[in-house]
C-alpha cells in the first residue's frame, strides 16, 4: 500500500487529537483540590492539551508509517523456521526461569514478582486449552481458580492435610466443577456460552462471599499452612518433632528460602502444564479440541462426540486453574472472595487473546506484559496503568491477532515440504 | 445398503420432509436432485441423525440407525461430506485427513493416506498447508478425501459442485466415479447440478417440496422431458 499524502495524515492526526481532547477534558481537565477551605474544583487544562498533542502526533506518525508498518498477518519467515525459533525461545525462557533465583541481579522482590507472573502463566495455559484450543469462550475461568484455592484452604485448615496431598485433590475438585459447568452449556456457543460462563464465575464468588459458616464469608480464610519440602519447614524455628529447612542443610535461616521454594513449586507446576498441553495437542483428544474449534458439524460427521470433547476441555482447563488456585492460597496464606472477582477472569482471558490464541509461548509473553509490567512499574505509582494501557494498544496495533498467532501443525510427513 | 422408509423430519415446527422412501444398493451411485429448499440437505442430515426423524426409519445394512447419535452413525461405515465442505481451515491438510481417520483403525492410517493421496495428487502437494488456504476445488477434494479416510462402505456427498468452476466440477465428478468403481464405495450424491449428477449416477431420485416426485435410472431421468425443462434447461417457468 502506498503511504497516504501528508494532508490525509494531518487530517487523521487532527481527528485523533480532537477525540483525545474530548475524552481528556472531563477526565484530566478537572480535579478536586483539597484545601483548607474544604474541597474545591480545580482545572488542569494543560494536561488536556498534552494528551491531545500526544494522541494527535501518534496518530499522524502512524498514518505516515502505515505503508512501511503494516500489521503483520503472516509470519515473514517460513513456518518450519518459525517453529524452530519458537522452540529455541521456549528452551531459553525455561532456562532463564530455572536459573532466575540464582542470577546475580535477582533479589527477593524479583523472585516474588516472577512467582506472581508464573501463576498467571499457568492460568493462561489452563484457559488456553479451553479458549485457544477448544474454542470455547470462557469468561468465568476465575471460578476454577477460586475452587482450587478454597479446596486447599479448607482441607488444610480444617483437616490439617498437607499441601502435597491437597494439590491433586484441589485439581480434581476444580475439574469436577469444570464438568459441572460443562454439562449445562454443551449446546451453547460463542456469545451465549460466554454469558453463561460469566454468570458461573459470579455464582461461585457470591457463594464464597455468603456461605459464612463454610467459607468464612467476606473475611475469608487466614493462616493457611505453607508447603513443606519433604516435611522440612521454612520457618525460623520448627515446632516439636519437625525440622526446618535451614537446620537440615546447615544454612543460616533466611526468609528468601521460602520465596525461592514457592517460586520453584509454581515453576514446576507451570512447566508440567506446558508439557502436558504440548503433548496432548499431538494426541487424538487434543486434535479433536482443535477440530471442534474449527467446525462442530464436521466433527460430528467424522464420528467425534462433541460432548466428551467439550467436557474434557473444560475439565482439564479447570484442573490447571485448580492447581494454580491452591498454590495461590498457600503462597498468600490468606484468601477471600475479593481475590476472585471478574477482573481476574478478564486478565487471564486477555493474556490468552493477546498471546495469540493457542500459542504457549505467546501466553508467557502476554503474562509478562500484562502482569509483570504493572508490577514492574509499581514504583512509578499512577503511571503504571498508562504503561499497561499503552502496551495493550501497541499490541493491538502491531499484532492484531495476538503476539504469536501462527499455529504449527501437530504432524508432518517426512519428505513432504 | 441404505434404506429410507417413510421418513419425516424438519426444524422445530417447520416440516421439511414429508415421507421419503428411497434405497441405495451396494456398489451403486445414486443421486438425489432437486431445487433449492426442496429438502435434499435435510434428508442427508436426518440420515445422519441431526435433526432427528420425527417419523419413519433409516436402515443401514438392515440395522435401524434412526435413533443413533450422529457420531455413532459415523462409526458404522457411513461417511458424510457435509454441505459447504466444512474442512478445518486452520489445520493443515494432513491434520484434516487425520481427523477423518479418527474412527478408523490407526494401523491403517498410512495405507489410507496413500490411497487418498493417490486419488487426489493435489493434496499431496499441499499436505502441510492450512486447509483454509486451498482453492475451492482443492477444499472439496480435501472434504471427500477426509471422508474416505474412515474406510466407509457408503459415502454421502452433499453438493460437491457447490461454488466450483465447471471444469473443476467435471474433474470432481470423474473422481467420484473413480472412487465408486475402484474402491467399491457406494455413493449417495445430493446435487443441484442435475446434468452432471444424472450422467454419473446409476439411479436417481427427484425431490420436490420434501417429497420424492420421480425416480428412475440416470439415463431415463436425463431423457425425461419434465426433468429437462425443470432442471436442465434453466428455470421452473419453462
Amino acid at each position: 500500500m502506498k503511504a497516504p499524502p501528508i494532508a490525509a495524515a494531518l487530517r487523521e492526526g487532527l481527528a485523533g487529537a480532537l477525540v483525545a481532547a474530548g475524552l481528556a477534558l472531563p477526565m484530566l481537565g478537572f480535579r478536586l483540590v483539597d484545601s483548607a477551605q474544604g474541597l474545591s474544583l480545580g482545572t488542569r487544562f494543560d494536561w488536556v492539551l498534552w494528551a491531545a498533542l500526544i494522541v494527535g502526533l501518534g496518530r499522524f506518525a502512524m498514518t505516515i508509517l502505515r505503508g512501511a508498518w503494516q500489521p503483520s498477518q503472516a509470519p515473514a519467515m517460513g513456518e518450519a523456521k518459525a517453529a524452530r525459533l519458537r522452540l529455541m525461545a521456549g528452551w531459553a525462557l525455561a532456562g532463564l526461569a530455572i536459573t532466575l533465583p540464582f542470577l546475580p541481579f535477582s533479589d527477593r522482590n524479583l523472585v516474588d514478582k516472577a512467582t506472581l507472573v508464573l501463576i498467571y502463566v499457568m492460568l493462561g495455559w489452563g484457559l488456553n486449552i479451553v479458549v485457544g484450543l477448544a474454542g470455547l469462550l470462557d469468561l468465568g475461568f476465575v471460578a476454577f481458580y477460586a475452587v482450587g484455592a478454597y479446596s486447599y484452604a479448607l482441607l488444610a485448615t480444617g483437616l490439617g492435610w498437607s499441601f502435597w496431598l491437597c494439590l491433586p485433590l484441589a485439581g480434581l475438585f476444580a475439574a469436577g466443577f469444570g464438568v459441572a459447568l460443562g454439562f449445562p452449556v454443551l449446546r451453547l456457543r460463542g456469545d451465549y456460552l460466554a454469558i453463561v460462563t460469566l454468570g458461573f464465575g459470579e455464582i461461585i464468588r457470591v457463594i464464597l462471599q455468603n456461605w459464612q459458616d463454610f467459607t468464612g464469608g467476606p473475611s475469608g480464610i487466614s493462616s493457611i499452612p505453607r508447603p513443606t519440602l519433604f516435611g522440612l519447614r521454612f520457618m525460623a524455628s520448627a515446632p516439636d518433632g519437625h525440622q526446618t529447612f535451614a537446620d537440615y542443610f546447615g544454612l543460616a535461616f533466611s526468609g528468601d528460602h521460602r520465596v525461592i521454594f514457592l517460586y520453584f513449586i509454581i515453576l514446576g507446576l507451570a512447566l508440567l502444564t506446558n508439557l502436558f498441553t504440548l503433548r496432548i495437542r499431538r494426541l487424538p483428544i487434543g486434535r479433536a479440541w482443535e477440530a471442534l474449534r474449527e467446525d462442530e458439524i464436521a466433527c460430528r460427521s467424522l464420528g467425534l462426540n462433541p460432548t466428551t470433547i467439550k467436557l474434557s476441555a473444560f475439565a482439564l482447563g479447570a484442573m490447571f486453574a485448580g492447581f494454580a488456585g491452591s498454590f495461590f492460597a498457600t503462597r498468600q496464606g490468606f484468601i477471600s472472595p475479593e481475590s476472585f472477582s471478574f477482573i481476574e477472569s478478564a486478565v487471564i482471558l486477555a493474556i490468552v487473546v493477546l498471546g495469540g490464541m493457542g500459542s504457549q509461548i505467546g501466553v508467557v509473553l502476554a503474562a509478562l506484559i500484562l502482569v509483570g509490567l504493572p508490577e514492574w512499574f509499581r514504583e512509578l505509582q499512577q503511571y503504571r496503568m498508562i504503561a499497561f494501557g499503552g502496551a495493550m494498544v501497541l499490541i493491538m496495533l502491531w499484532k492484531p491477532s495476538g503476539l504469536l498467532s501462527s499455529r504449527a501443525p501437530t504432524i508432518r510427513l517426512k519428505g513432504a515440504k | 445398503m441404505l434404506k429410507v422408509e417413510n421418513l419425516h423430519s424438519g426444524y422445530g415446527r417447520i416440516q421439511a420432509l414429508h415421507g421419503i422412501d428411497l434405497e441405495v444398493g451396494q456398489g451403486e451411485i445414486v443421486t438425489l436432485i432437486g431445487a433449492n429448499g426442496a429438502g435434499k440437505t435435510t434428508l442427508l442430515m436426518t440420515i445422519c441423525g441431526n435433526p432427528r426423524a420425527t417419523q419413519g426409519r433409516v436402515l443401514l445394512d438392515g440395522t435401524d440407525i434412526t435413533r443413533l447419535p450422529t457420531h455413532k452413525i459415523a462409526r458404522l461405515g457411513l461417511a458424510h461430506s457435509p454441505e459447504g465442505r466444512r474442512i478445518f481451515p486452520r489445520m493443515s491438510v494432513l491434520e484434516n485427513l487425520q481427523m477423518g481417520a479418527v474412527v478408523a483403525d490407526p494401523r491403517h492410517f498410512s495405507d489410507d493416506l496413500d490411497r487418498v493421496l493417490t486419488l487426489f495428487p493435489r493434496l499431496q502437494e499441499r499436505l502441510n498447508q492450512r486447509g483454509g488456504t486451498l482453492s475451492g476445488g482443492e477444499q472439496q477434494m480435501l472434504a471427500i478425501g477426509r471422508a474416505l479416510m474412515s474406510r466407509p462402505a457408503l459415502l454421502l456427498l452433499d453438493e460437491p459442485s457447490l461454488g466450483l468452476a465447471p471444469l473443476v466440477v467435471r474433474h470432481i465428478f470423474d473422481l467420484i466415479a473413480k472412487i465408486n468403481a475402484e474402491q467399491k464405495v457406494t455413493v449417495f450424491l445430493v446435487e443441484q447440478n442435475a446434468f452432471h449428477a444424472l450422467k454419473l449416477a446409476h439411479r436417481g431420485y427427484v425431490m420436490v417440496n420434501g417429497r420424492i416426485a420421480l425416480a428412475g435410472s440416470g439415463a431415463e431421468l436425463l431423457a425425461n422431458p419434465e426433468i429437462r425443462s425443470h432442471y436442465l434447461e434453466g428455470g421452473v417457468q419453462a
Side-chain angles (χ1 to χ4, degrees):
Chain A
M1 200 170 75
K2 242 177 59 189
I6 303 286
L10 270 175
R11 216 165 32 239
E12 283 281 323
L14 204 63
L18 277 177
V19 172
L23 281 174
L25 188 66
M27 287 191 275
L28 295 177
F30 298 99
R31 65 187 298 214
L32 287 174
V33 187
D34 200 1
S35 61
Q37 289 80 39
L39 288 178
S40 64
L41 197 65
T43 53
R44 240 177 1 188
F45 292 128
D46 51 331
W47 283 43
V48 178
L49 217 63
W50 278 114
L53 202 65
I54 291 169
V55 172
L57 281 178
R59 186 78 200 158
F60 175 75
M62 224 184 81
T63 319
I64 290 284
L65 290 174
R66 181 149 276 176
W69 194 44
Q70 282 286 320
S72 53
Q73 302 290 345
M77 48 194 142
E79 278 206 21
K81 203 174 161 198
R84 212 163 38 239
L85 204 70
R86 260 201 302 270
L87 193 71
M88 271 161 53
W91 281 110
L93 276 176
L96 180 69
I98 290 170
T99 49
L100 180 77
F102 311 112
L103 293 178
F105 56 82
S106 78
D107 54 9
R108 182 180 177 146
N109 191 11
L110 180 72
V111 174
D112 211 36
K113 278 175 185 162
T115 308
L116 186 72
V117 171
L118 275 174
I119 293 181
Y120 282 89
V121 167
M122 185 159 172
L123 287 168
W125 277 340
L127 186 62
N128 208 5
I129 294 179
V130 184
V131 178
L133 293 182
L136 305 162
L137 185 51
D138 187 346
L139 290 182
F141 197 63
V142 76
F144 309 121
Y145 185 42
V147 168
Y150 271 85
S151 304
Y152 170 64
L154 289 171
L155 286 173
T157 55
L159 301 173
W161 290 3
S162 88
F163 174 73
W164 298 106
L165 179 63
C166 294
L167 183 70
L169 283 177
L172 274 182
F173 279 136
F177 272 81
V179 174
L181 167 67
F183 262 114
V185 301
L186 275 175
R187 310 163 122 261
L188 303 180
R189 236 178 280 192
D191 314 354
Y192 306 98
L193 176 68
I195 291 170
V196 176
T197 53
L198 177 72
F200 183 78
E202 285 301 292
I203 289 172
I204 296 283
R205 192 179 59 79
V206 169
I207 289 178
L208 292 177
Q209 191 133 30
N210 290 292
W211 197 358
Q212 284 278 353
D213 313 333
F214 190 58
T215 65
S219 46
I221 302 174
S222 52
S223 55
I224 301 166
R226 305 289 190 173
T228 58
L229 178 70
F230 299 109
L232 298 175
R233 308 282 170 126
F234 288 85
M235 335 174 146
S237 60
D240 286 342
H242 294 279
Q243 248 184 324
T244 68
F245 175 81
D247 280 349
Y248 187 83
F249 287 98
L251 300 168
F253 170 77
S254 153
D256 294 359
H257 292 162
R258 197 188 68 219
V259 175
I260 293 175
F261 177 57
L262 284 171
Y263 172 78
F264 276 117
I265 294 182
I266 188 67
L267 182 62
L269 284 173
L271 288 179
L272 200 75
T273 312
N274 185 33
L275 281 181
F276 181 87
T277 310
L278 289 180
R279 185 87 197 89
I280 205 163
R281 260 196 70 200
R282 291 159 196 276
L283 296 179
I285 178 73
R287 280 199 306 268
W289 287 338
E290 290 198 75
L292 186 79
R293 173 192 70 201
E294 309 275 283
D295 199 315
E296 186 170 335
I297 292 183
C299 273
R300 266 190 236 219
S301 69
L302 294 173
L304 292 164
N305 182 355
T307 307
T308 47
I309 302 175
K310 283 187 188 175
L311 287 183
S312 61
F314 271 122
L316 283 169
M319 183 181 80
F320 290 122
F323 289 155
S326 58
F327 175 80
F328 175 75
T330 196
R331 171 179 181 255
Q332 302 294 104
F334 164 77
I335 51 169
S336 75
E338 251 173 72
S339 311
F340 307 104
S341 57
F342 169 69
I343 190 72
E344 295 295 314
S345 291
V347 167
I348 305 165
L349 187 66
I351 288 174
V352 173
V353 173
L354 288 183
M357 307 254 258
S359 164
Q360 295 288 99
I361 294 193
V363 165
V364 178
L365 297 180
L368 276 171
I369 292 172
L370 292 194
V371 183
L373 211 60
E375 287 297 316
W376 195 264
F377 281 95
R378 200 176 274 280
E379 288 85 29
L380 298 177
Q381 302 286 330
Q382 68 254 46
Y383 295 107
R384 63 193 269 257
M385 284 332 261
I386 289 191
F388 180 80
M392 270 210 178
V393 169
L394 283 180
I395 291 176
M396 283 297 121
L397 277 176
W398 172 49
K399 285 270 186 185
S401 49
L403 288 171
L404 290 173
S405 52
S406 70
R407 168 187 175 279
T410 55
I411 71 166
R412 274 170 196 284
L413 277 199
K414 288 180 204 90
K417 273 179 285 176
Chain B
M1 166 149 254
L2 178 74
K3 199 166 180 205
V4 174
E5 296 174 353
N6 187 33
L7 199 67
H8 290 68
S9 170
Y11 303 96
R13 279 192 193 162
I14 302 155
Q15 202 180 349
L17 303 180
H18 308 269
I20 302 290
D21 287 284
L22 58 79
E23 202 170 339
V24 180
Q26 183 90 45
E28 276 187 310
I29 299 181
V30 175
T31 188
L32 175 71
I33 60 172
N36 247 342
K40 307 183 300 291
T41 295
T42 308
L43 174 63
L44 272 201
M45 298 294 280
T46 308
I47 290 174
C48 292
N50 179 34
R52 221 164 259 310
T54 48
Q55 205 184 316
R57 294 202 301 169
V58 181
L59 300 172
L60 183 67
D61 286 326
T63 340
D64 190 341
I65 60 167
T66 328
R67 306 266 151 235
L68 286 182
T70 308
H71 63 272
K72 290 213 171 125
I73 293 174
R75 288 167 189 265
L76 297 173
L78 178 155
H80 175 203
S81 167
E83 185 179 22
R85 312 192 267 265
R86 293 192 173 272
I87 56 153
F88 303 122
R90 299 217 299 163
M91 298 171 84
S92 73
V93 169
L94 183 57
E95 284 171 315
N96 267 277
L97 294 173
Q98 213 177 14
M99 291 313 300
V102 280
V103 301
D105 188 333
R107 278 171 301 182
H108 297 156
F109 181 72
S110 54
D111 286 352
D112 291 337
L113 189 63
D114 277 348
R115 197 164 47 88
V116 167
L117 293 181
T118 322
L119 198 61
F120 304 109
R122 290 294 285 277
L123 296 184
Q124 170 90 58
E125 295 162 27
R126 312 227 180 276
L127 222 41
N128 288 327
Q129 210 169 309
R130 285 190 204 183
T133 62
L134 300 184
S135 74
E138 288 163 348
Q139 288 193 11
Q140 187 58 55
M141 292 178 198
L142 179 56
I144 298 176
R146 187 178 65 181
L148 286 175
M149 288 298 288
S150 64
R151 296 200 162 186
L154 172 63
L155 181 60
L156 307 185
L157 294 175
D158 198 343
E159 285 208 41
S161 73
L162 190 75
L164 300 184
L167 253 174
V168 183
V169 172
R170 195 185 292 160
H171 181 56
I172 296 271
F173 275 64
D174 287 345
L175 287 169
I176 295 173
K178 205 165 154 189
I179 292 166
N180 174 255
E182 288 177 9
Q183 316 210 350
K184 311 285 174 247
V185 179
T186 309
V187 177
F188 183 44
L189 172 69
V190 163
E191 257 303 335
Q192 271 200 70
N193 193 330
F195 177 68
H196 278 291
L198 289 174
K199 252 177 57 175
L200 172 76
H202 303 116
R203 290 191 302 115
Y205 292 92
V206 181
M207 192 178 225
V208 178
N209 290 334
R211 291 187 172 82
I212 298 290
L214 266 174
S217 77
E220 270 168 30
L221 289 176
L222 209 48
N224 184 317
E226 217 177 318
I227 302 274
R228 292 199 80 90
S229 66
H230 272 67
Y231 300 103
L232 299 177
E233 278 147 21
V236 220
Q237 72 275 18

